Amino acid sequence: MSSLTRTTLPGTSHKGEEVLRFMTGRRTTMCGVALLTGAALLAAGSPVAMADDATRPLNAAATVEAVTGTADIADSTAARDAPAIALTRVEGQEVRITAPTVASDAVTAAVGNTRLTVALNGGTAARGTKAGSGTVVYPDAAPSTDLAVQPTKDAGVRVLVTLKDSAAATEQRFPVGLPAGATLLADGSGGYVISQGTGDQAKIIGSIDAPWAKDAEGRPLTTRYRLEGSTLVQTIETSPDTAFPVVADPKVSLGRYIYLRFSKSEVKDLAKATMPTFAVIAAAMACGKIPNPAASAGCAAATGLQAASLWGQAKDAAKAKQCVEWKLTYVGVIKGWKRYKC
């Protein structure tokens, strides 16, 4: 995998719904008849054909960024026709995100000598192009499918897939290359944490956020992960009523934060709690999902210290019929929380 241009990422903001998305590669129909071949060559050199090639990455990026937004995409000084290397610092660690040159290669996240890869597995050699507000797109990386990569300011990276029509595959596969001694553990919220070591010596070094998918009208679609060996498989449920294109993603991070999410029903239960019992209920509901014992204990302690603020937020979210997300360090310190539509 070749590394390309370099980006310095400011800040460590986080957007709840993050992910990596995929884009389809361009198909060429081969004709055996000389006359048709000549016509195709003439068409390929025409201003209309060249304009289509130029606008394809822009359109692909616009489709993705309309769903993800652009506020947390890493700034880049990279050339418009090349993927990017993004550097940022989170909790004192420098994280390096590298988008691949072609869709058949892998995204890399690295902290020092610790390295994590997620293969795009596009099936073609579609080249990455930086377009829009910094999204690296791989148009037509698979049949009826575009892929994209968005390095984010919080040292994460979204791998995004755009299903352009109903012919696109609704099962997307992401081979994951983990650091030595690391495993993926379900986080209880539909995603995974990356745990390294065993027993009490285990520590969380990264995470894969719960998946999401939205159609062209902004409607959320049912989507889920499963693991097949070291391959993360995302299934996206579409129907005759689905408006295409559909954008979906996994978001991967290494060396940053754990994000705990509470569903509407969980938020409702938290809001019903009395102040004296809130910390116990919230800690059992959230902190118990963290497989690292030290981080889980730290989360429980932080919940008690910040119970009043967290309780107030849960009550406001319940009234607004919203979900809640907590942001924690890998030792369980709660760094922030927010409400969001779900």
Side-chain angles (χ1 to χ4, degrees):
M1 179 182 74
S2 27
S3 59
L4 300 142
T5 47
R6 177 161 302 197
T7 298
T8 300
L9 305 181
T12 57
S13 64
H14 167 70
K15 182 169 179 170
E17 301 298 338
E18 313 155 29
V19 190
L20 303 166
R21 300 178 190 172
F22 291 75
M23 307 186 113
T24 50
R26 193 173 126 207
R27 293 180 292 179
T28 303
T29 301
M30 302 303 295
C31 301
V33 181
L35 181 60
L36 292 178
T37 302
L41 290 172
L42 287 173
S46 71
V48 172
M50 288 187 288
D52 181 66
D53 286 342
T55 59
R56 196 184 301 259
L58 295 175
N59 293 337
T63 298
V64 167
E65 292 179 359
V67 179
T68 64
T70 60
D72 68 338
I73 298 175
D75 294 334
S76 174
T77 57
R80 303 302 294 177
D81 61 349
I85 295 174
L87 300 176
T88 192
R89 296 185 71 83
V90 175
E91 296 299 311
Q93 299 183 93
E94 184 177 80
V95 182
R96 181 187 185 95
I97 304 292
T98 307
T101 303
V102 295
S104 56
D105 213 327
V107 177
T108 301
V111 179
N113 294 324
T114 301
R115 186 171 178 268
L116 170 75
T117 63
V118 180
L120 296 186
N121 200 24
T124 73
R127 293 186 64 83
T129 300
K130 188 167 75 72
S133 295
T135 300
V136 180
V137 295
Y138 305 81
D140 300 318
S144 295
T145 308
D146 291 342
L147 303 181
V149 172
Q150 288 180 343
T152 57
K153 294 176 182 178
D154 62 356
V157 57
R158 288 191 283 260
V159 176
L160 301 156
V161 55
T162 299
L163 312 183
K164 297 197 286 189
D165 54 50
S166 60
T170 55
E171 186 173 276
Q172 301 292 326
R173 307 177 71 83
F174 306 87
V176 178
L178 294 172
T183 57
L184 290 175
L185 301 175
D187 67 3
S189 298
Y192 294 89
V193 293
I194 304 166
S195 180
Q196 192 170 43
T198 58
D200 292 341
Q201 301 303 311
K203 62 179 181 177
I204 297 171
I205 61 170
S207 63
I208 298 175
D209 287 1
W212 58 263
K214 290 186 178 180
D215 74 2
E217 295 181 359
R219 294 176 298 193
L221 302 181
T222 299
T223 182
R224 58 189 173 276
Y225 290 145
R226 72 176 187 273
L227 276 179
E228 291 185 0
S230 60
T231 296
L232 184 71
V233 183
Q234 182 176 5
T235 299
I236 304 158
E237 294 186 10
T238 60
S239 73
D241 296 328
T242 300
F244 289 90
V246 168
V247 177
D249 92 312
K251 183 183 179 183
V252 178
S253 61
L254 188 65
R256 60 175 180 93
Y257 301 107
I258 302 167
Y259 293 91
L260 297 177
R261 295 186 176 92
F262 297 84
S263 67
K264 286 180 182 178
S265 61
E266 289 175 325
V267 169
K268 188 175 180 180
D269 290 339
L270 289 174
K272 288 179 182 177
T274 62
M275 183 58 203
T277 62
F278 173 83
V280 175
I281 294 172
M285 193 179 292
C287 305
K289 297 177 180 179
I290 304 174
N292 183 313
S296 181
C299 170
T303 301
L305 291 173
Q306 297 170 297
S309 295
L310 296 170
W311 184 48
Q313 182 206 52
K315 292 174 75 67
D316 290 341
K319 289 178 183 177
K321 297 182 179 180
Q322 293 178 315
C323 294
V324 168
E325 178 185 87
W326 294 0
K327 180 172 76 172
L328 297 85
T329 68
Y330 289 147
V331 293
V333 177
I334 300 175
K335 302 289 286 189
W337 51 87
K338 69 176 185 179
R339 295 153 41 191
Y340 66 97
K341 293 181 180 179
C342 56

